[in-house]
Amino acid sequence: MSAAEFQKLAALFPDEVVTHSYVQDIQLPGGAGTFALITLDNGLDHSKPTTLGPNTLVELGGVLDQLKERASRGEIVGVGVTGKPYFLVAGADLSAVKTLKEREHGLWMAQLGHAVYSTLANLGVPSFAFINGLALGGGLEIALQSTYRTVSTGAGALALPEAFIGLVPGWGGVYILPRLIGPENAVKVMIENPLSNNRTLTGPQAFELGVADAIFEPADFVEQSLAWAARVISGDVTPERKNSVDSADDAVAGRWAAAVTAGRAFVESKTSNASPAPAKVLDVMEANRTMTQAESAELECETLAGLMQTDEFRSTVYAFLDLVQKRSKRPAGAPDRKLARPVTKIGVVGAGLMASQLALLFARQLKVPVVMTDIDQARVDKGVAYVHAEVDKMLAKKRIKPDAANRTKALITGSVSKEAFADADFVIEAVFEELHIKKQVFAEVEAIVSPECILATNTSSLSVTAMAEDLKHPERLVGFHFFNPVAVMPLLEIVRAPKTDDAVLATAFELAKGLKKTAVLVKDAAAFVVNRILLRLMGEVIAAFDEGTPADVADNALRPMGLPMSPFTLAAMVGLPVAQHVQESLHTAFGDRFPVSQNLQKLIDNGVKSLWAPSPDGTPVIPAETLAIMSFGNTPSTGAEVLRRTQDALAEEIGLMLAEGVVAGPEDIDLCVIMGAGWPMFLGGITPYLDRVGASERVNGKRFLAPASHQHPPDPSLSHIPRP
C-alpha cells in the first residue's frame, strides 16, 4: 500500500480526535547516549482515552520515519513510547473503524497499522515501550512490536480483546504474543480473557506472564524505565524471557497445536461458534506458527478486513460503543441529577443472601453506614458474618487493603428492630417475593423513618405500584432491582411507579452511579425487562419439551444464538421454584404467552433441582426417575422449529413491551439484556439479532432498529485461512 493511499484513508476521517506523537530527547544516565521518547497524547483529560485512528497512525509513522533517519546518523541510541497519564493507548478508534463500509478501506487500515509498527520494530536502534497505563488491542501491540517493554505496577487493563470485539489482533499481536509468552498463555490472553466478560491483565499479571521485561512503581515509572533502558543499551542488563518459545521447535509445535485445540473447545463452550472472530484468531495463530512475520501480517490484514464487514463486528460495536460506553452513561428518562438528595445512611430489610450482598455493595462502594434487620438475632448475626467473611476473602486475595477491609466491616451493623432505620436516608427491602409481606415491611418502615427517607424494593417481578398503595407517601417508593450475583452483574433496573417523584428517581440514579452499576429506567410492569424476556424464552423451550420435543433438542435449539447458557441450565441456576414463581406472576399478568409448566411443577414437588444429571462419561442425561415423574405430548418439534418459535416469541414480547412504554426504546432493551443477562455482545443485543433473523418483521411487520447500512453478505475470504 502506498503513502498516497494512507493519506486518502486518513482524509476520510476529518473529525478524528488525533492522538499526537510528541518527541523529547533525553540524555540517558551513565552516559548511555541520547534517547528519543515519544509520548502519545490526545490533549484531553483522562475521561477521553487515547486511540489510534488513521490520522494518528499517519502522524506516528512520520515521526518514526524521522527517528529512523536520526538513528542511521548515530544521533540517538534508542526510542521509547509511552502515554499520557493512565494510558498507553486504548486501541483502535472503534468509532472510526465502524464507518469503514468498504472492505478495501478496512484493508488499508490494517496495512497502515502494520506499516507504522514495522518501522517501530526496525528502527536500527532498540525500541522500548513504557506501559504506564491502559493498553488495549493496538495499544498493547505497539508495546509488543517494541524490542523491550516495561510496565507500571499501577497499570490496569492490558489486553488483546479483539475476539470479544469481533476482530483479530491485526497489528502483529497474534504473531508475537505466542512466541513471547508461550502458546498456552497467548490463548489465555487472546481467547479466554476476552470471552470471559472481557477480562484484562494488571501490570503485575502482565509482567508475570512475560509480556513485559521489567516492572516499576507508578511514582517514578518513566524515570525508572529510562534508567533501565540505559542499562539495557549499555549491555549491563539482558532481559530474561522465561516463557518465550521458538515456534520451529518440535516440542513447541505440539504445545502450539494443543493450545489451539483447547482454545477452540473454549470458544465452543462460550459462544457455540456463533461469532466468527474467536475462531479466526485461532486460525491465524495456528497458521502463523510456520510463517514469517511478514507472511502473518498479510494474513492478519486480509482476515481483519473481512471481519470488519461482518454483522457480528458491527453488532459488537453497537453494543459496546453505542450502548455500554455511551447510552449507559446518559440513561434515557433520568431526571436532572441536581434533584438528588444526599444519602448518608442506608437500611436493608432482611439479612439473607441477597440482603447481605446488597449491604456489602453499599458499604464498599458508597462508604456509608449500612444496617441490616431481620426477625431474630440469629439471622442478623448470620447476615453480618456473611459480609465480614466476604470482606476477608477479598483481603486474602489482595483485592482490598487491610484498612479498607476494617472500615467496610465497621460500616455494617445489624439489628432486630427497624428503629435502627430512624435516621436512614434510603431503605431497601430484600425479603421474600410475596406482595403482602413487602407491603407489611414498608408499612412498618414508613412508621419509623423520616418523611424524606426513600423506600426501595428489590423485587424481581411484583408490582411496585401495588406496594405503594397503602403508603402515606407513595411518591417515596422506587424499584431498585439488582441481579444476582450483586457484585458481578452490572445492571440495575430502576422502576418508576406512577407516583414516584423526580427527586426520588434522581437519587436512585445517583446511587446507581456510586455503586458503579448500569441503570436503566423501567416502567412498573410485571417482571420489568430482563426477567420478562428470559421467562418468555425459557417458557417457549419448556413448552416445546412438554409437547414431546426431546430434551437435548429443546435445550440445544438456541445454540445458534450463542447464549451464555442453555435454557434448562439457566432454570437450574436460578432455581426451579424461583423460575416457576416468576412464571406464575407473568401468567397472571399476561396470560397464555407465559404458560405454567405442569412438568416443572412436578419436578419442584419431588425436590428435583435440575433436569440434567451427569452420566458416568460426563455427558448430561435425564435420570430415569426424573423422566418417570413427567408426562409429555405427542407433537415434537425440530431444533430449527424451536429456534424460530422462540425468536418469534421474543419479537412479539419486545414489541409489546415497547408499545407499553416499559422502556424508552429498543436500545434500552438491548442494554438490559447485555448487562443483566449476559447477552452476547456479538449479537448486538436482542433487537438487532431479531431484526437480522427476520423475526421482527415476521411478527410485528417492521424492524426494531433502522436497517443497518453496513450489513453485507459474508466475506468469502474469511473461509480461506490456510491450515497447517
Side-chain angles (χ1 to χ4, degrees):
M1 183 177 177
S2 67
E5 287 171 319
F6 288 154
Q7 291 292 344
K8 183 178 178 181
L9 175 65
L12 295 175
F13 302 94
D15 299 324
E16 176 187 336
V17 177
V18 177
T19 296
H20 295 289
S21 301
Y22 298 105
V23 181
Q24 178 185 7
D25 279 3
I26 294 172
Q27 296 304 313
L28 292 176
T34 302
F35 188 89
L37 180 63
I38 302 170
T39 300
L40 301 171
D41 194 341
N42 59 6
L44 303 173
D45 65 25
H46 67 276
S47 67
K48 303 293 184 183
T50 46
T51 56
L52 300 166
N55 289 280
T56 296
L57 288 169
V58 167
E59 179 179 319
L60 175 59
V63 167
L64 290 171
D65 285 339
Q66 293 172 9
L67 293 176
K68 186 172 185 176
E69 291 180 7
R70 292 184 64 195
S72 69
R73 296 194 296 267
E75 296 175 8
I76 54 175
V77 295
V79 173
V81 181
T82 192
K84 72 177 188 179
Y86 311 112
F87 298 96
L88 179 59
V89 176
D93 182 356
L94 290 180
S95 62
V97 174
K98 74 174 184 177
T99 67
L100 295 171
K101 297 181 176 63
E102 300 297 329
R103 186 184 189 282
E104 182 182 37
H105 294 160
L107 183 61
W108 289 358
M109 181 77 172
Q111 291 171 338
L112 172 58
H114 266 291
V116 173
Y117 286 19
S118 177
T119 305
L120 177 65
N122 297 281
L123 288 168
V125 293
S127 56
F128 296 78
F130 302 151
I131 309 171
N132 61 309
L134 179 147
L136 299 175
L140 185 59
E141 285 174 304
I142 284 180
L144 292 175
Q145 292 277 12
S146 300
T147 318
Y148 304 103
R149 290 157 292 281
T150 67
V151 68
S152 167
T153 59
L158 279 69
L160 292 178
E162 284 81 0
F164 168 81
I165 295 170
L167 302 174
V168 298
W171 291 336
V174 73
Y175 183 88
I176 299 169
L177 195 65
R179 290 163 171 80
L180 181 66
I181 65 174
E184 304 88 352
N185 287 331
V187 168
K188 176 182 178 181
V189 173
M190 296 192 295
I191 296 294
E192 294 179 18
N193 284 357
L195 299 186
S196 299
N197 297 316
N198 210 16
R199 187 183 298 151
T200 60
L201 301 172
T202 63
Q205 288 170 335
F207 174 68
E208 182 64 26
L209 282 177
V211 174
D213 300 304
I215 186 167
F216 302 111
E217 293 297 318
D220 56 353
F221 172 69
V222 173
E223 290 81 358
Q224 289 292 333
S225 294
L226 287 167
W228 182 83
R231 294 195 295 275
V232 171
I233 290 170
S234 64
D236 295 337
V237 170
T238 301
E240 294 184 13
R241 292 175 175 167
K242 59 182 179 181
N243 292 329
S244 64
V245 300
D246 178 357
S247 63
D249 184 271
D250 288 343
V252 171
R255 289 173 53 194
W256 202 287
V260 169
T261 299
R264 295 195 191 283
F266 188 86
V267 171
E268 168 69 20
S269 69
K270 284 288 187 177
T271 72
S272 302
N273 288 318
S275 173
K280 296 308 171 190
V281 174
L282 292 168
D283 286 350
V284 175
M285 177 178 161
E286 184 177 33
N288 76 24
R289 187 190 67 79
T290 57
M291 290 180 171
T292 65
Q293 189 164 358
E295 290 169 338
S296 180
E298 184 176 349
L299 177 58
E300 292 163 36
C301 290
E302 291 292 338
T303 306
L304 193 62
L307 286 170
M308 283 181 189
Q309 302 305 314
T310 61
D311 286 342
E312 287 81 6
F313 168 63
R314 304 290 184 176
S315 295
T316 302
V317 173
Y318 160 75
F320 183 66
L321 192 64
D322 298 341
L323 299 182
V324 175
Q325 295 293 313
K326 294 180 179 178
R327 192 175 182 91
S328 69
K329 294 177 173 57
R330 295 184 291 275
D336 188 337
R337 60 184 300 186
K338 294 177 183 177
L339 297 173
R341 301 171 188 164
V343 174
T344 59
K345 181 179 178 180
I346 290 175
V348 179
V349 184
L353 179 59
M354 177 59 78
S356 300
Q357 290 183 76
L358 294 179
L360 175 57
L361 180 72
F362 288 133
R364 190 175 179 214
Q365 298 295 344
L366 302 179
K367 298 177 175 55
V368 299
V370 180
V371 58
M372 291 190 289
T373 66
D374 216 313
I375 57 176
D376 58 51
Q377 193 64 46
R379 285 181 172 85
V380 170
D381 291 344
K382 184 178 180 181
V384 173
Y386 170 87
V387 174
H388 286 196
E390 289 300 301
V391 173
D392 288 339
K393 288 178 187 176
M394 288 186 280
L395 182 62
K397 294 177 181 177
K398 298 183 179 180
R399 291 173 51 202
I400 190 172
K401 293 184 178 180
D403 287 348
N406 292 334
R407 286 194 299 270
T408 301
K409 288 181 180 180
L411 287 170
I412 298 172
T413 58
S415 174
V416 294
S417 171
K418 293 183 178 64
E419 293 289 343
F421 298 149
D423 57 345
D425 304 302
F426 185 92
V427 176
I428 184 169
E429 66 76 22
V431 299
F432 191 66
E433 282 283 283
E434 290 289 352
L435 183 60
H436 73 277
I437 294 176
K438 293 182 184 288
K439 292 184 74 169
Q440 179 183 338
V441 163
F442 283 129
E444 294 171 359
V445 172
E446 190 176 39
I448 293 167
V449 298
S450 70
E452 293 76 28
C453 180
I454 294 170
L455 304 182
T457 173
N458 186 46
T459 183
S460 60
S461 62
L462 299 178
S463 169
V464 179
T465 305
M467 288 181 214
E469 283 174 348
D470 300 329
L471 291 177
K472 295 176 182 177
H473 297 285
E475 71 280 357
R476 70 161 78 194
L477 183 63
V478 65
F480 213 56
H481 179 219
F482 291 86
F483 290 79
N484 203 11
V486 170
V488 175
M489 298 306 290
L491 182 66
L492 183 56
E493 290 177 330
I494 295 182
V495 187
R496 181 173 200 162
K499 294 184 179 180
T500 307
D501 73 23
D502 283 352
V504 169
L505 211 57
T507 306
F509 275 98
E510 284 302 293
L511 283 177
K513 184 177 180 180
L515 294 170
K516 299 180 181 177
K517 296 295 182 184
T518 296
V520 175
L521 181 62
V522 179
K523 180 183 176 182
D524 187 21
F528 315 128
V529 175
V530 173
N531 284 338
R532 183 167 168 181
I533 290 172
L534 289 181
L535 268 296
R536 185 70 196 268
L537 178 151
M538 290 167 58
E540 294 298 326
V541 175
I542 292 171
F545 173 59
D546 290 347
E547 292 161 6
T549 304
D552 60 334
V553 173
D555 201 29
N556 290 309
L558 308 188
R559 284 178 65 82
M561 297 168 68
L563 299 178
M565 63 185 72
S566 73
F568 291 168
T569 303
L570 175 62
M573 189 193 77
V574 170
L576 300 188
V578 173
Q580 186 79 330
H581 181 75
V582 179
Q583 190 79 357
E584 289 169 343
S585 298
L586 288 164
H587 179 74
T588 300
F590 302 120
D592 291 342
R593 297 202 313 275
F594 291 87
V596 177
S597 169
Q598 295 308 305
N599 275 335
L600 189 58
Q601 190 60 51
K602 291 174 184 176
L603 295 179
I604 295 167
D605 293 342
N606 285 273
V608 177
K609 298 184 183 299
S610 174
L611 191 68
W612 297 117
S615 65
D617 66 0
T619 57
V621 297
I622 303 177
E625 56 270 27
T626 300
L627 278 173
I629 296 169
M630 300 180 287
S631 58
F632 302 96
N634 57 5
T635 56
S637 300
T638 65
E641 289 169 338
V642 175
L643 176 60
R644 184 182 175 102
R645 166 182 180 166
T646 305
Q647 291 167 343
D648 289 355
L650 292 172
E652 178 188 35
E653 203 60 40
I654 292 169
L656 291 168
M657 292 166 70
L658 293 172
E660 295 165 18
V662 175
V663 290
E667 298 86 354
D668 292 315
I669 298 279
D670 294 330
L671 188 58
C672 282
V673 297
I674 289 167
M675 305 304 277
W679 198 269
M681 286 276 188
F682 60 78
L683 295 182
I686 189 168
T687 67
Y689 169 76
L690 295 174
D691 285 347
R692 286 198 302 275
V693 299
S696 310
E697 291 179 279
R698 285 198 302 266
V699 175
N700 303 319
K702 61 180 181 180
R703 301 168 63 98
F704 290 116
L705 300 171
S709 60
H710 57 260
Q711 290 182 336
H712 297 279
D715 189 322
S717 69
L718 292 179
S719 62
H720 293 157
I721 293 178
R723 293 287 190 89

